[in-house]
Amino acid sequence: MAKYFNITGASSAAAELTQELLPPGDGVRISGISLTNVHASTTCKVDLYIEKKLTGKFYILKNVSLPVGVTLLHDFTFSNETGEYGLYIKLTKTASETPAVDVILK
């Protein structure tokens, strides 16, 4: 089952936004992700990581520049059925504009 997200990043006051895509223990198994920069004119930087409380972050993508109109496809397997890890995305704006990314988990 796919999950879909429209994420609009950091406000004018903040330089970045972190959003939980899959909470720990959600019982979801994914095999890949699609990230598309849907903003009309600005590039954004993307971090994608899993995190376990007390253990820390484990990055899948770190500081990846996503130009306007570009889709990044990344195949990886992740399951949060055990309740230990969650999946998170962080958008960082590279200009004064607010980034916007569509995310599809498959």
Side-chain angles (χ1 to χ4, degrees):
M1 172 175 76
K3 289 194 170 241
Y4 306 90
F5 303 88
N6 301 111
I7 300 173
T8 301
S11 66
S12 59
E16 60 188 44
L17 166 84
T18 300
Q19 181 168 329
E20 182 179 69
L21 298 175
L22 297 175
D26 201 24
V28 174
R29 177 172 285 216
I30 62 171
S31 60
I33 188 167
S34 168
L35 304 169
T36 303
N37 184 346
V38 295
H39 194 278
S41 62
T42 192
T43 296
C44 72
K45 296 208 182 251
V46 177
D47 290 353
L48 182 70
Y49 58 91
I50 60 173
E51 183 174 16
K52 178 180 178 182
K53 302 296 183 204
L54 305 176
T55 304
K57 297 176 184 175
F58 300 93
Y59 286 91
I60 299 157
L61 302 172
K62 174 79 171 148
N63 206 25
V64 173
S65 183
L66 195 59
V68 174
V70 169
T71 298
L72 172 68
L73 301 172
H74 188 62
D75 291 328
F76 72 101
T77 301
F78 171 71
S79 173
N80 67 351
E81 295 170 334
T82 63
E84 296 181 0
Y85 291 91
L87 180 66
Y88 301 87
I89 189 169
K90 181 175 86 170
L91 302 180
T92 304
K93 59 185 177 180
T94 58
S96 60
E97 304 282 332
T98 300
V101 174
D102 285 350
V103 178
I104 301 173
L105 302 175
K106 57 181 177 170

